[in-house]
Amino acid sequence: MNPIPYGRQHITDDDINAVANVLRGPFLTQGPHITAFESAFAAYIGCQYAVAVANGTAALHLACMALGVTEGTRVITTPITFSASANCIRYCGGEVYFADIDPKTAVLDIHAVRSLLEQHPKGYFSGIIPVDFAGYPVDLAEFRALADEYGLWILEDACHAPGGSFTDPAGTVHRCGDGSLAELAIFSFHPVKHIAAGEGGMITTNDEGLYKHLLRLRTHGITNKPDELVEPYLGEPERGGWYMQLQELGYNYRLTDMQAALGMSQLNRADSMMTRRQEIAKRYDEAFAGTGVTTIEPPANGIHAYHLYVIQVDDRKGLYDFLRTKQIMAQVHYIPVHLMPYYRQFGWKPGDFPKAEHYYARCLSLPMFPTLTDAEQEYVIACVNEFMGL
């Protein structure tokens, strides 16, 4: 049988035709498909503005720049995430501080964050980067209250969670990345994500000032918009349609029209793909209920986006190796960032975040993607149960 990966893109004829139409047209990049995709994605998420960029890491980097992260800026994030959630702070010269996770959800524990904040004077930290890990929506209402208490901004890493949401105590539904509680949020269009564009990312916000700043930063820091231009330099000739200004040091972090067209095509069926992910998760939940396989329960007040389906077992390495003999390519998400050699140079060490480290020692991501067939999933479940002696 063919190997079953933990994640896989789903490319249809409509996707292929969307990209082919761009290839036949006049623009491969910086064309109309970018703004169309941005507008459609903003409408899907429920925010006012969206800025398409080269990938999720670029989105994090530019978001940190727009929020003013610079040398000495201190930002808190989770150790259970892909390293880009922390690296973006370092790209800007900032200092990364970690806080432990809630073992029931594997997302950043607000009590651990509060404890860290209370150990330092107000003003010591500037922001928080919570991660909607595996698609589980962080309760940003709680984090917003905490951030306001300490004068912090919030950058939501929602790469795993387009379509996810939670309901606050007042009954208001907040979609992941909708800008209602975080200054900025970011998404990824990597092939294993909900919306696959090959590569690509998006930054969402309801702040017009941040939006305009991000548009400059993704294109070298250049603008040609008349309302943003500064006074001409002495002796400058009259301005024509060519005129632009490099106003700050930015990057070439643009998305191409080909990627935007693919992303738009995928966005058109985002809801149906989410429904399929939820069906797969429910079947896993039912199969492992009452066994020695620990799963993360769906949020009682929200919608889990299920980028990943994570289980926890005592002999994770044994199960990982066994599944590979069965052509099931399960994966581990993630090695705690604070234990990576790069971050150990700053003094982080084993034992700093025991809940995150305990989670890592036991976690394994099972296959989770919309085209996973019922037969393939039953095979995965049977193999897990075989190893567990069930």
Side-chain angles (χ1 to χ4, degrees):
M1 63 177 295
N2 292 326
I4 304 175
Y6 85 88
R8 175 189 287 152
Q9 70 271 18
H10 179 209
I11 302 298
T12 67
D13 287 342
D14 286 343
D15 295 335
I16 294 170
N17 290 333
V19 175
N21 287 337
V22 173
L23 293 174
R24 297 187 186 101
F27 294 97
L28 295 185
T29 189
Q30 296 181 268
H33 290 85
I34 306 298
T35 53
F37 183 35
E38 290 171 334
S39 296
F41 191 82
Y44 174 70
I45 294 299
C47 64
Q48 293 186 45
Y49 308 106
V51 178
V53 294
N55 50 61
T57 300
L60 284 163
H61 185 190
L62 294 189
C64 282
M65 291 179 68
L67 290 167
V69 177
T70 187
E71 186 174 354
T73 303
R74 303 177 187 91
V75 182
I76 301 168
T77 192
T78 171
I80 298 299
T81 184
F82 185 60
S83 58
S85 306
N87 292 352
C88 59
I89 304 163
R90 295 294 304 139
Y91 295 157
C92 299
E95 298 177 20
V96 180
Y97 282 74
F98 298 103
D100 216 339
I101 64 167
D102 180 343
K104 294 180 180 179
T105 63
V107 302
L108 191 62
D109 185 354
I110 192 167
H111 303 293
V113 175
R114 175 174 286 280
S115 177
L116 179 58
L117 291 170
E118 290 174 346
Q119 294 171 34
H120 298 85
K122 284 189 177 182
Y124 189 82
F125 294 100
S126 296
I128 309 172
I129 304 180
V131 178
D132 299 312
F133 173 67
Y136 193 102
V138 172
D139 188 337
L140 284 187
E142 291 185 340
F143 274 94
R144 182 72 267 165
L146 181 62
D148 289 345
E149 181 181 346
Y150 282 85
L152 310 175
W153 47 255
I154 296 176
L155 167 55
E156 179 186 6
D157 185 336
C159 281
H160 292 184
S165 67
F166 79 96
T167 303
D168 68 21
T172 302
V173 176
H174 302 272
R175 289 175 66 87
C176 295
D178 68 4
S180 60
L181 296 166
E183 280 78 1
L184 295 172
I186 67 98
F187 295 86
S188 168
F189 306 131
H190 184 274
V192 298
K193 299 297 198 304
H194 290 63
I195 297 168
E199 286 286 358
M202 194 76 78
I203 311 169
T204 58
T205 185
N206 289 338
D207 187 311
E208 184 180 11
L210 288 173
Y211 168 66
K212 290 182 176 180
H213 193 186
L214 289 163
L215 291 178
R216 290 195 303 273
L217 288 174
R218 77 168 174 189
T219 310
H220 304 281
I222 290 173
T223 183
N224 61 1
K225 295 180 172 57
D227 63 330
E228 296 180 0
L229 299 177
V230 299
E231 290 300 315
Y233 61 84
L234 185 64
E236 179 187 356
E238 68 275 13
R239 296 178 179 180
W242 69 85
Y243 190 77
M244 54 77 176
Q245 290 179 344
L246 175 64
Q247 295 186 338
E248 60 186 311
L249 187 63
Y251 292 83
N252 181 0
Y253 277 168
R254 296 185 296 252
L255 191 72
T256 68
D257 276 57
M258 295 173 287
Q259 292 168 304
L262 178 55
M264 177 74 89
S265 181
Q266 295 250 318
L267 181 61
N268 289 335
R269 61 178 191 279
D271 288 340
S272 63
M273 290 194 290
M274 170 71 86
T275 298
R276 178 56 182 160
R277 286 177 181 271
Q278 292 169 335
E279 291 171 353
I280 293 169
K282 182 179 179 181
R283 187 173 292 111
Y284 277 140
D285 286 343
E286 292 171 349
F288 298 131
T291 70
V293 178
T294 302
T295 61
I296 295 175
E297 295 182 5
N301 63 336
I303 296 175
H304 196 307
Y306 289 111
H307 164 56
L308 303 172
Y309 188 89
V310 182
I311 63 172
Q312 297 178 63
V313 295
D314 291 335
D315 186 6
R316 187 268 309 279
K317 176 64 161 56
L319 177 57
Y320 174 90
D321 290 341
F322 177 77
L323 292 179
R324 296 224 155 200
T325 69
K326 301 292 188 178
Q327 295 295 292
I328 300 170
M329 304 296 115
Q331 189 55 276
V332 172
H333 298 92
Y334 292 98
I335 301 170
V337 182
H338 72 284
L339 297 182
M340 292 292 186
Y342 174 80
Y343 283 98
R344 289 202 194 190
Q345 69 176 307
F346 302 108
W348 304 110
K349 60 188 183 304
D352 283 341
F353 305 105
K355 294 174 184 176
E357 292 167 31
H358 179 72
Y359 162 85
Y360 163 64
R362 304 176 71 247
C363 69
L364 194 65
S365 298
L366 298 182
M368 166 58 79
F369 49 92
T371 55
L372 183 71
T373 67
D374 290 348
E376 287 174 326
Q377 187 178 14
E378 290 302 324
Y379 175 70
V380 172
I381 292 169
C383 289
V384 172
N385 287 341
E386 179 184 349
F387 178 82
M388 297 295 293
L390 302 173

